[in-house]
Amino acid sequence: MSEQTIFAKIIRKEIPAAIVYENERILAFKDIAPQAPTHILVIPKKALADVAAAKEDDAALLGELLLSAAHIAKEQGLTDYRIVINNGAEAGQTVFHLHLHLLGGRPMRWPPG
Ligand code: 5GP
């Protein structure tokens, strides 16, 4: 059975999203509930639930996720930004398809909540 998360449906173009970047392995689109002026989700097209589900074979894909985020940040005119990955419900993960949050356009505080 195909993956049923909301992000899998976005990858399959079954539901719309404001896509800002796409290649064969990666998709990036605007978050529907932005937490900063720029809030983009960068996801692998491969069905990985979270970072913990990644294997050795996924090393290049994980690297490409980060490089894609840096590329998109530059395209969006961001020099300072935050990249977040929530792994697991207690860490704030609500969609169980691996995704990286790219947040920018406002000052950030530390530590995060
Ligand atoms: P998480 O909490 O799992 O780290 O992040 C999930 C993110 O997905 C949230 O920031 C949420 O706003 C975003 N999101 C949930 N559903 C949709 C959707 O249908 N479309 C888009 N573009 N973003 C979504």
Side-chain angles (χ1 to χ4, degrees), residues 14-58:
E14 291 169 8
I15 63 167
I19 292 172
V20 299
Y21 178 81
E22 180 168 18
N23 70 19
E24 286 162 30
R25 296 164 300 281
I26 305 276
L27 185 68
F29 50 93
K30 293 182 181 174
D31 196 292
I32 205 166
Q35 301 301 310
T38 300
H39 186 173
I40 291 166
L41 301 169
V42 188
I43 74 174
K45 291 185 175 176
K46 180 176 178 178
L48 284 171
D50 52 23
V51 175
K55 305 273 189 266
E56 288 282 317
D57 282 356
D58 298 313

Side-chain angles (χ1 to χ4, degrees), residues 2-12 29 41-54 85-101:
S2 60
E3 189 199 342
Q4 286 305 312
T5 67
I6 196 89
F7 292 173
K9 291 176 186 172
I10 289 173
I11 291 167
R12 294 195 296 263
F29 50 93
L41 301 169
V42 188
I43 74 174
K45 291 185 175 176
K46 180 176 178 178
L48 284 171
D50 52 23
V51 175
I85 298 176
N86 298 322
N87 191 95
E90 201 167 322
Q93 188 175 6
T94 57
V95 178
F96 291 86
H97 180 111
L98 175 61
H99 54 281
L100 173 162
H101 296 257

Side-chain angles (χ1 to χ4, degrees), residues 57-75:
D57 282 356
D58 298 313
L61 182 60
L62 296 183
E64 190 176 2
L65 270 182
L66 270 178
L67 289 171
S68 299
H71 171 77
I72 294 161
K74 195 171 180 187
E75 270 188 352

